[in-house]
Short mmCIF file of all heavy atoms in Angstrom, two decimals:
data_model
loop_
_atom_site.label_atom_id
_atom_site.label_comp_id
_atom_site.label_asym_id
_atom_site.label_seq_id
_atom_site.Cartn_x
_atom_site.Cartn_y
_atom_site.Cartn_z
N MET A 1 0.84 -1.20 0.00
CA MET A 1 0.00 0.00 0.00
C MET A 1 0.87 1.25 0.00
O MET A 1 1.69 1.45 0.88
CB MET A 1 -0.89 0.00 1.24
CG MET A 1 -2.36 0.00 0.84
SD MET A 1 -3.41 -0.55 2.16
CE MET A 1 -3.63 0.96 3.07
N SER A 2 0.73 2.05 -1.01
CA SER A 2 1.51 3.29 -1.04
C SER A 2 0.57 4.48 -0.87
O SER A 2 -0.46 4.57 -1.52
CB SER A 2 2.26 3.41 -2.36
OG SER A 2 1.35 3.55 -3.42
N GLU A 3 0.98 5.32 0.02
CA GLU A 3 0.15 6.50 0.29
C GLU A 3 0.96 7.76 0.06
O GLU A 3 1.98 7.97 0.70
CB GLU A 3 -0.31 6.44 1.75
CG GLU A 3 -1.45 7.40 2.02
CD GLU A 3 -1.86 7.34 3.49
OE1 GLU A 3 -1.72 6.27 4.09
OE2 GLU A 3 -2.30 8.36 4.01
N THR A 4 0.54 8.55 -0.88
CA THR A 4 1.24 9.79 -1.15
C THR A 4 0.42 10.96 -0.65
O THR A 4 -0.72 11.13 -1.06
CB THR A 4 1.52 9.98 -2.64
OG1 THR A 4 0.33 9.72 -3.36
CG2 THR A 4 2.62 9.06 -3.11
N LYS A 5 1.02 11.69 0.26
CA LYS A 5 0.31 12.84 0.80
C LYS A 5 0.96 14.12 0.31
O LYS A 5 2.12 14.38 0.57
CB LYS A 5 0.33 12.78 2.33
CG LYS A 5 -0.83 11.97 2.86
CD LYS A 5 -0.92 12.12 4.36
CE LYS A 5 -2.03 11.22 4.92
NZ LYS A 5 -2.01 11.19 6.37
N ARG A 6 0.20 14.86 -0.43
CA ARG A 6 0.70 16.14 -0.90
C ARG A 6 -0.20 17.24 -0.38
O ARG A 6 -1.43 17.08 -0.37
CB ARG A 6 0.70 16.18 -2.43
CG ARG A 6 2.05 15.73 -3.01
CD ARG A 6 2.05 15.87 -4.51
NE ARG A 6 1.79 14.59 -5.16
CZ ARG A 6 1.66 14.44 -6.47
NH1 ARG A 6 1.72 15.48 -7.25
NH2 ARG A 6 1.46 13.26 -6.99
N PRO A 7 0.39 18.33 0.03
CA PRO A 7 -0.45 19.44 0.53
C PRO A 7 -1.25 20.07 -0.60
O PRO A 7 -0.86 19.99 -1.76
CB PRO A 7 0.57 20.42 1.10
CG PRO A 7 1.85 20.13 0.39
CD PRO A 7 1.82 18.66 0.07
N CYS A 8 -2.34 20.67 -0.23
CA CYS A 8 -3.15 21.39 -1.20
C CYS A 8 -2.30 22.47 -1.86
O CYS A 8 -1.67 23.27 -1.17
CB CYS A 8 -4.35 22.01 -0.49
SG CYS A 8 -5.30 23.13 -1.51
N PRO A 9 -2.23 22.49 -3.20
CA PRO A 9 -1.37 23.46 -3.88
C PRO A 9 -1.85 24.90 -3.71
O PRO A 9 -1.10 25.83 -3.97
CB PRO A 9 -1.44 23.04 -5.35
CG PRO A 9 -2.62 22.16 -5.48
CD PRO A 9 -2.89 21.57 -4.12
N ILE A 10 -3.07 25.08 -3.27
CA ILE A 10 -3.60 26.43 -3.12
C ILE A 10 -3.33 26.98 -1.73
O ILE A 10 -2.74 28.03 -1.57
CB ILE A 10 -5.11 26.47 -3.41
CG1 ILE A 10 -5.39 25.96 -4.83
CG2 ILE A 10 -5.68 27.87 -3.22
CD1 ILE A 10 -4.75 26.80 -5.91
N CYS A 11 -3.76 26.26 -0.71
CA CYS A 11 -3.64 26.80 0.64
C CYS A 11 -2.60 26.05 1.47
O CYS A 11 -2.39 26.36 2.63
CB CYS A 11 -5.00 26.79 1.34
SG CYS A 11 -5.59 25.13 1.70
N LYS A 12 -1.96 25.03 0.85
CA LYS A 12 -0.91 24.26 1.52
C LYS A 12 -1.41 23.47 2.72
O LYS A 12 -0.62 23.04 3.55
CB LYS A 12 0.26 25.16 1.97
CG LYS A 12 0.74 26.11 0.89
CD LYS A 12 1.35 25.37 -0.27
CE LYS A 12 1.87 26.36 -1.31
NZ LYS A 12 2.08 25.74 -2.61
N SER A 13 -2.70 23.28 2.78
CA SER A 13 -3.25 22.48 3.87
C SER A 13 -2.94 21.02 3.62
O SER A 13 -2.92 20.56 2.48
CB SER A 13 -4.76 22.70 3.94
OG SER A 13 -5.33 21.70 4.75
N SER A 14 -2.68 20.30 4.66
CA SER A 14 -2.38 18.87 4.52
C SER A 14 -3.65 18.06 4.39
O SER A 14 -3.63 16.87 4.12
CB SER A 14 -1.55 18.38 5.70
OG SER A 14 -2.26 18.61 6.89
N VAL A 15 -4.77 18.72 4.58
CA VAL A 15 -6.06 18.06 4.42
C VAL A 15 -6.32 17.83 2.93
O VAL A 15 -6.12 18.72 2.12
CB VAL A 15 -7.19 18.91 5.02
CG1 VAL A 15 -8.53 18.21 4.82
CG2 VAL A 15 -6.94 19.18 6.48
N GLN A 16 -6.72 16.63 2.60
CA GLN A 16 -6.99 16.34 1.19
C GLN A 16 -8.27 15.53 1.07
O GLN A 16 -8.39 14.45 1.64
CB GLN A 16 -5.82 15.59 0.60
CG GLN A 16 -5.69 15.82 -0.90
CD GLN A 16 -4.49 15.07 -1.47
OE1 GLN A 16 -4.52 13.86 -1.56
NE2 GLN A 16 -3.45 15.80 -1.80
N THR A 17 -9.21 16.06 0.32
CA THR A 17 -10.45 15.34 0.09
C THR A 17 -10.33 14.58 -1.22
O THR A 17 -10.08 15.17 -2.26
CB THR A 17 -11.62 16.33 0.00
OG1 THR A 17 -11.58 17.19 1.13
CG2 THR A 17 -12.94 15.60 -0.05
N PRO A 18 -10.47 13.26 -1.18
CA PRO A 18 -10.30 12.44 -2.39
C PRO A 18 -11.11 12.97 -3.57
O PRO A 18 -10.66 12.95 -4.70
CB PRO A 18 -10.80 11.05 -1.96
CG PRO A 18 -10.60 11.03 -0.48
CD PRO A 18 -10.79 12.45 -0.01
N GLU A 19 -12.28 13.48 -3.29
CA GLU A 19 -13.16 13.97 -4.34
C GLU A 19 -12.56 15.16 -5.07
O GLU A 19 -12.83 15.38 -6.25
CB GLU A 19 -14.49 14.36 -3.69
CG GLU A 19 -15.61 14.56 -4.69
CD GLU A 19 -16.90 14.91 -3.98
OE1 GLU A 19 -16.97 14.73 -2.76
OE2 GLU A 19 -17.83 15.37 -4.66
N TYR A 20 -11.74 15.94 -4.37
CA TYR A 20 -11.21 17.16 -4.96
C TYR A 20 -9.70 17.12 -5.14
O TYR A 20 -9.05 18.13 -5.27
CB TYR A 20 -11.59 18.37 -4.10
CG TYR A 20 -13.07 18.53 -3.93
CD1 TYR A 20 -13.65 18.44 -2.68
CD2 TYR A 20 -13.88 18.74 -5.04
CE1 TYR A 20 -15.02 18.57 -2.52
CE2 TYR A 20 -15.24 18.87 -4.89
CZ TYR A 20 -15.81 18.79 -3.63
OH TYR A 20 -17.15 18.91 -3.48
N LYS A 21 -9.14 15.92 -5.11
CA LYS A 21 -7.70 15.76 -5.26
C LYS A 21 -7.17 16.59 -6.42
O LYS A 21 -7.78 16.60 -7.48
CB LYS A 21 -7.36 14.28 -5.48
CG LYS A 21 -6.62 13.70 -4.31
CD LYS A 21 -6.65 12.20 -4.28
CE LYS A 21 -5.87 11.54 -5.38
NZ LYS A 21 -5.81 10.10 -5.24
N PRO A 22 -5.99 17.20 -6.33
CA PRO A 22 -5.15 17.22 -5.12
C PRO A 22 -5.47 18.38 -4.19
O PRO A 22 -4.64 18.76 -3.39
CB PRO A 22 -3.76 17.40 -5.74
CG PRO A 22 -3.99 18.29 -6.92
CD PRO A 22 -5.40 17.94 -7.43
N PHE A 23 -6.65 18.91 -4.32
CA PHE A 23 -7.01 20.05 -3.48
C PHE A 23 -7.71 19.59 -2.22
O PHE A 23 -8.18 18.46 -2.14
CB PHE A 23 -7.89 21.02 -4.27
CG PHE A 23 -7.28 21.42 -5.58
CD1 PHE A 23 -7.73 20.85 -6.75
CD2 PHE A 23 -6.23 22.31 -5.62
CE1 PHE A 23 -7.15 21.18 -7.97
CE2 PHE A 23 -5.65 22.65 -6.84
CZ PHE A 23 -6.11 22.09 -8.01
N CYS A 24 -7.81 20.49 -1.25
CA CYS A 24 -8.40 20.11 0.03
C CYS A 24 -9.90 20.26 -0.02
O CYS A 24 -10.62 19.68 0.80
CB CYS A 24 -7.80 20.95 1.14
SG CYS A 24 -8.29 22.68 1.08
N SER A 25 -10.39 21.06 -0.96
CA SER A 25 -11.82 21.35 -0.96
C SER A 25 -12.24 21.90 -2.31
O SER A 25 -11.40 22.27 -3.14
CB SER A 25 -12.14 22.38 0.12
OG SER A 25 -11.50 23.60 -0.19
N ALA A 26 -13.55 21.98 -2.51
CA ALA A 26 -14.06 22.54 -3.76
C ALA A 26 -13.63 23.99 -3.90
O ALA A 26 -13.40 24.48 -5.00
CB ALA A 26 -15.58 22.43 -3.78
N ARG A 27 -13.51 24.68 -2.79
CA ARG A 27 -13.14 26.09 -2.83
C ARG A 27 -11.76 26.27 -3.46
O ARG A 27 -11.54 27.10 -4.33
CB ARG A 27 -13.16 26.66 -1.42
CG ARG A 27 -12.83 28.14 -1.41
CD ARG A 27 -12.88 28.69 -0.02
NE ARG A 27 -14.23 28.65 0.54
CZ ARG A 27 -14.62 29.39 1.58
NH1 ARG A 27 -13.77 30.18 2.17
NH2 ARG A 27 -15.84 29.30 2.03
N CYS A 28 -10.81 25.44 -3.00
CA CYS A 28 -9.45 25.56 -3.53
C CYS A 28 -9.40 25.10 -4.99
O CYS A 28 -8.70 25.67 -5.80
CB CYS A 28 -8.48 24.75 -2.68
SG CYS A 28 -8.06 25.60 -1.15
N ARG A 29 -10.17 24.09 -5.31
CA ARG A 29 -10.21 23.63 -6.69
C ARG A 29 -10.73 24.75 -7.60
O ARG A 29 -10.20 25.00 -8.67
CB ARG A 29 -11.10 22.40 -6.81
CG ARG A 29 -11.06 21.77 -8.18
CD ARG A 29 -12.20 20.83 -8.38
NE ARG A 29 -13.47 21.51 -8.18
CZ ARG A 29 -14.65 20.92 -8.24
NH1 ARG A 29 -14.73 19.64 -8.46
NH2 ARG A 29 -15.74 21.62 -8.06
N ASP A 30 -11.77 25.43 -7.15
CA ASP A 30 -12.33 26.52 -7.94
C ASP A 30 -11.35 27.67 -8.07
O ASP A 30 -11.25 28.30 -9.10
CB ASP A 30 -13.63 27.02 -7.30
CG ASP A 30 -14.76 26.02 -7.49
OD1 ASP A 30 -14.57 25.07 -8.28
OD2 ASP A 30 -15.81 26.19 -6.86
N LYS A 31 -10.61 27.90 -7.00
CA LYS A 31 -9.61 28.96 -7.03
C LYS A 31 -8.59 28.67 -8.13
O LYS A 31 -8.19 29.54 -8.88
CB LYS A 31 -8.89 29.02 -5.68
CG LYS A 31 -9.11 30.33 -4.95
CD LYS A 31 -8.26 30.34 -3.71
CE LYS A 31 -8.49 31.61 -2.92
NZ LYS A 31 -7.78 31.61 -1.64
N ASP A 32 -8.18 27.42 -8.20
CA ASP A 32 -7.20 27.03 -9.21
C ASP A 32 -7.79 27.19 -10.61
O ASP A 32 -7.14 27.69 -11.51
CB ASP A 32 -6.78 25.58 -8.97
CG ASP A 32 -5.62 25.19 -9.86
OD1 ASP A 32 -4.51 25.73 -9.62
OD2 ASP A 32 -5.80 24.39 -10.78
N LEU A 33 -9.03 26.78 -10.77
CA LEU A 33 -9.70 26.93 -12.06
C LEU A 33 -9.76 28.39 -12.47
O LEU A 33 -9.44 28.76 -13.59
CB LEU A 33 -11.12 26.35 -11.98
CG LEU A 33 -11.24 24.85 -12.24
CD1 LEU A 33 -12.68 24.42 -12.02
CD2 LEU A 33 -10.80 24.50 -13.64
N ASN A 34 -10.16 29.24 -11.53
CA ASN A 34 -10.27 30.66 -11.83
C ASN A 34 -8.93 31.24 -12.22
O ASN A 34 -8.84 32.10 -13.08
CB ASN A 34 -10.81 31.41 -10.60
CG ASN A 34 -12.30 31.18 -10.43
OD1 ASN A 34 -13.00 30.98 -11.42
ND2 ASN A 34 -12.77 31.19 -9.21
N ARG A 35 -7.88 30.75 -11.61
CA ARG A 35 -6.54 31.24 -11.94
C ARG A 35 -6.24 30.93 -13.41
O ARG A 35 -5.70 31.74 -14.13
CB ARG A 35 -5.52 30.57 -11.02
CG ARG A 35 -4.28 31.41 -10.83
CD ARG A 35 -3.35 30.78 -9.82
NE ARG A 35 -3.04 29.40 -10.17
CZ ARG A 35 -2.36 28.57 -9.40
NH1 ARG A 35 -1.96 28.98 -8.23
NH2 ARG A 35 -2.10 27.35 -9.77
N TRP A 36 -6.59 29.73 -13.82
CA TRP A 36 -6.36 29.35 -15.22
C TRP A 36 -7.17 30.23 -16.15
O TRP A 36 -6.68 30.70 -17.17
CB TRP A 36 -6.73 27.88 -15.43
CG TRP A 36 -5.63 26.96 -15.04
CD1 TRP A 36 -5.51 26.26 -13.88
CD2 TRP A 36 -4.48 26.63 -15.82
NE1 TRP A 36 -4.35 25.53 -13.90
CE2 TRP A 36 -3.71 25.73 -15.07
CE3 TRP A 36 -4.03 27.04 -17.08
CZ2 TRP A 36 -2.50 25.22 -15.54
CZ3 TRP A 36 -2.83 26.52 -17.55
CH2 TRP A 36 -2.08 25.63 -16.78
N PHE A 37 -8.42 30.45 -15.81
CA PHE A 37 -9.27 31.28 -16.67
C PHE A 37 -8.71 32.69 -16.76
O PHE A 37 -8.66 33.29 -17.82
CB PHE A 37 -10.69 31.33 -16.11
CG PHE A 37 -11.46 30.07 -16.41
CD1 PHE A 37 -12.21 29.45 -15.43
CD2 PHE A 37 -11.43 29.51 -17.69
CE1 PHE A 37 -12.92 28.29 -15.70
CE2 PHE A 37 -12.14 28.35 -17.97
CZ PHE A 37 -12.89 27.74 -16.98
N ASN A 38 -8.28 33.22 -15.63
CA ASN A 38 -7.74 34.57 -15.62
C ASN A 38 -6.48 34.65 -16.46
O ASN A 38 -6.25 35.63 -17.16
CB ASN A 38 -7.43 35.00 -14.17
CG ASN A 38 -8.71 35.25 -13.39
OD1 ASN A 38 -9.74 35.54 -13.99
ND2 ASN A 38 -8.66 35.12 -12.08
N ASP A 39 -5.66 33.63 -16.42
CA ASP A 39 -4.46 33.61 -17.25
C ASP A 39 -4.86 33.66 -18.72
O ASP A 39 -4.24 34.34 -19.52
CB ASP A 39 -3.66 32.32 -16.99
CG ASP A 39 -2.82 32.45 -15.73
OD1 ASP A 39 -2.79 33.56 -15.16
OD2 ASP A 39 -2.20 31.46 -15.33
N GLY A 40 -5.89 32.93 -19.08
CA GLY A 40 -6.35 32.91 -20.46
C GLY A 40 -6.82 34.28 -20.91
O GLY A 40 -6.47 34.74 -21.99
N TYR A 41 -7.57 34.94 -20.02
CA TYR A 41 -8.10 36.24 -20.38
C TYR A 41 -6.99 37.28 -20.44
O TYR A 41 -7.12 38.31 -21.05
CB TYR A 41 -9.16 36.68 -19.38
CG TYR A 41 -10.44 35.89 -19.53
CD1 TYR A 41 -11.10 35.37 -18.43
CD2 TYR A 41 -10.98 35.66 -20.79
CE1 TYR A 41 -12.27 34.65 -18.56
CE2 TYR A 41 -12.15 34.94 -20.94
CZ TYR A 41 -12.79 34.43 -19.82
OH TYR A 41 -13.94 33.73 -19.96
N ALA A 42 -5.89 37.00 -19.77
CA ALA A 42 -4.80 37.97 -19.75
C ALA A 42 -4.03 37.95 -21.06
O ALA A 42 -3.18 38.79 -21.30
CB ALA A 42 -3.85 37.66 -18.60
N LEU A 43 -4.32 36.99 -21.92
CA LEU A 43 -3.64 36.92 -23.20
C LEU A 43 -4.67 37.07 -24.33
O LEU A 43 -5.04 36.11 -24.98
CB LEU A 43 -2.91 35.58 -23.36
CG LEU A 43 -1.83 35.29 -22.32
CD1 LEU A 43 -1.41 33.83 -22.37
CD2 LEU A 43 -0.61 36.19 -22.56
N PRO A 44 -5.14 38.29 -24.55
CA PRO A 44 -6.19 38.50 -25.56
C PRO A 44 -5.66 38.26 -26.97
O PRO A 44 -4.51 38.55 -27.27
CB PRO A 44 -6.57 39.97 -25.37
CG PRO A 44 -5.38 40.61 -24.74
CD PRO A 44 -4.71 39.53 -23.92
N GLY A 45 -6.51 37.72 -27.81
CA GLY A 45 -6.14 37.53 -29.20
C GLY A 45 -5.37 36.26 -29.45
O GLY A 45 -5.04 35.94 -30.58
N ARG A 46 -5.08 35.53 -28.38
CA ARG A 46 -4.33 34.29 -28.56
C ARG A 46 -5.30 33.12 -28.73
O ARG A 46 -6.02 32.77 -27.78
CB ARG A 46 -3.43 34.04 -27.36
CG ARG A 46 -2.51 32.86 -27.58
CD ARG A 46 -1.47 32.82 -26.46
NE ARG A 46 -0.59 31.65 -26.62
CZ ARG A 46 -0.57 30.64 -25.76
NH1 ARG A 46 -1.33 30.65 -24.71
NH2 ARG A 46 0.25 29.63 -25.97
N PRO A 47 -5.34 32.52 -29.89
CA PRO A 47 -6.27 31.41 -30.11
C PRO A 47 -5.86 30.18 -29.34
O PRO A 47 -4.69 30.01 -28.99
CB PRO A 47 -6.18 31.15 -31.62
CG PRO A 47 -4.83 31.68 -32.02
CD PRO A 47 -4.50 32.79 -31.06
N ALA A 48 -6.82 29.33 -29.08
CA ALA A 48 -6.52 28.10 -28.37
C ALA A 48 -5.57 27.23 -29.19
O ALA A 48 -5.75 27.07 -30.39
CB ALA A 48 -7.81 27.34 -28.09
N ASP A 49 -4.58 26.74 -28.51
CA ASP A 49 -3.59 25.91 -29.20
C ASP A 49 -4.08 24.46 -29.23
O ASP A 49 -4.23 23.83 -28.19
CB ASP A 49 -2.27 26.00 -28.44
CG ASP A 49 -1.14 25.32 -29.20
OD1 ASP A 49 -1.42 24.45 -30.05
OD2 ASP A 49 0.02 25.66 -28.95
N PRO A 50 -4.34 23.93 -30.43
CA PRO A 50 -4.86 22.55 -30.53
C PRO A 50 -3.93 21.54 -29.88
O PRO A 50 -4.37 20.54 -29.32
CB PRO A 50 -4.94 22.30 -32.03
CG PRO A 50 -4.82 23.64 -32.68
CD PRO A 50 -4.12 24.54 -31.71
N GLU A 51 -2.64 21.80 -29.96
CA GLU A 51 -1.69 20.85 -29.37
C GLU A 51 -1.83 20.81 -27.86
O GLU A 51 -1.77 19.76 -27.24
CB GLU A 51 -0.27 21.26 -29.74
CG GLU A 51 0.25 20.46 -30.93
CD GLU A 51 1.72 20.76 -31.20
OE1 GLU A 51 2.51 20.68 -30.24
OE2 GLU A 51 2.04 21.08 -32.33
N GLU A 52 -2.02 22.00 -27.27
CA GLU A 52 -2.17 22.04 -25.82
C GLU A 52 -3.47 21.39 -25.39
O GLU A 52 -3.53 20.73 -24.36
CB GLU A 52 -2.12 23.50 -25.35
CG GLU A 52 -0.69 23.97 -25.16
CD GLU A 52 -0.64 25.34 -24.52
OE1 GLU A 52 -1.64 25.75 -23.93
OE2 GLU A 52 0.40 25.99 -24.65
N ILE A 53 -4.51 21.56 -26.19
CA ILE A 53 -5.79 20.95 -25.85
C ILE A 53 -5.66 19.43 -25.93
O ILE A 53 -6.12 18.70 -25.06
CB ILE A 53 -6.88 21.45 -26.83
CG1 ILE A 53 -7.15 22.93 -26.55
CG2 ILE A 53 -8.16 20.61 -26.65
CD1 ILE A 53 -8.00 23.59 -27.61
N ALA A 54 -4.95 18.95 -26.95
CA ALA A 54 -4.76 17.51 -27.10
C ALA A 54 -4.00 16.96 -25.91
O ALA A 54 -4.26 15.87 -25.42
CB ALA A 54 -4.02 17.22 -28.39
N ARG A 55 -3.02 17.74 -25.44
CA ARG A 55 -2.22 17.29 -24.32
C ARG A 55 -3.07 17.21 -23.04
O ARG A 55 -2.89 16.34 -22.21
CB ARG A 55 -1.06 18.28 -24.09
CG ARG A 55 0.21 17.55 -23.66
CD ARG A 55 1.35 18.54 -23.43
NE ARG A 55 1.68 19.28 -24.64
CZ ARG A 55 2.16 20.54 -24.65
NH1 ARG A 55 2.38 21.16 -23.53
NH2 ARG A 55 2.44 21.15 -25.77
N GLU A 56 -3.99 18.18 -22.93
CA GLU A 56 -4.88 18.18 -21.77
C GLU A 56 -5.73 16.92 -21.73
O GLU A 56 -6.00 16.39 -20.67
CB GLU A 56 -5.80 19.41 -21.84
CG GLU A 56 -5.10 20.71 -21.53
CD GLU A 56 -5.32 21.12 -20.09
OE1 GLU A 56 -6.38 20.80 -19.53
OE2 GLU A 56 -4.46 21.76 -19.53
N GLN A 57 -6.15 16.48 -22.89
CA GLN A 57 -7.07 15.34 -22.95
C GLN A 57 -6.33 14.03 -22.82
O GLN A 57 -6.94 12.99 -22.62
CB GLN A 57 -7.84 15.37 -24.27
CG GLN A 57 -8.84 16.53 -24.30
CD GLN A 57 -9.44 16.73 -25.68
OE1 GLN A 57 -8.89 16.27 -26.66
NE2 GLN A 57 -10.55 17.44 -25.76
N ASP A 58 -5.04 14.08 -22.94
CA ASP A 58 -4.25 12.86 -22.87
C ASP A 58 -4.32 12.23 -21.49
O ASP A 58 -4.15 12.89 -20.51
CB ASP A 58 -2.79 13.16 -23.22
CG ASP A 58 -2.08 11.89 -23.67
OD1 ASP A 58 -2.49 10.79 -23.24
OD2 ASP A 58 -1.14 12.00 -24.44
ZN1 ZN B 1 -6.78 24.11 -0.01
#
């Protein structure tokens, strides 16, 4: 049995909810999502890169 415990990347809490891995809660997961969206909006005029999308789905 191997158990890997990683802190929540958002708030660094050692609490981890399996449902929201690797985050501790839905709140932190949403925070991370919002960060990604904000990054996207910060680069106006940049079309979605098909290669990056393919990598995401991999
Ligand atoms: Zn957290």
Side-chain angles (χ1 to χ4, degrees):
M1 240 160 84
S2 66
E3 195 181 330
T4 48
K5 273 190 184 171
R6 268 184 261 176
C8 171
I10 302 298
C11 68
K12 312 294 182 198
S13 165
S14 59
V15 179
Q16 207 179 71
T17 309
E19 194 178 346
Y20 301 117
K21 248 162 68 174
F23 307 102
C24 70
S25 64
R27 182 179 294 199
C28 282
R29 187 196 57 182
D30 287 350
K31 243 185 182 174
D32 189 68
L33 274 176
N34 285 330
R35 206 175 54 187
W36 277 100
F37 283 134
N38 289 336
D39 279 354
Y41 288 134
L43 299 167
R46 187 170 178 246
D49 188 337
E51 262 186 50
E52 276 188 18
I53 291 169
R55 216 180 299 150
E56 287 262 330
Q57 290 170 342
D58 201 333

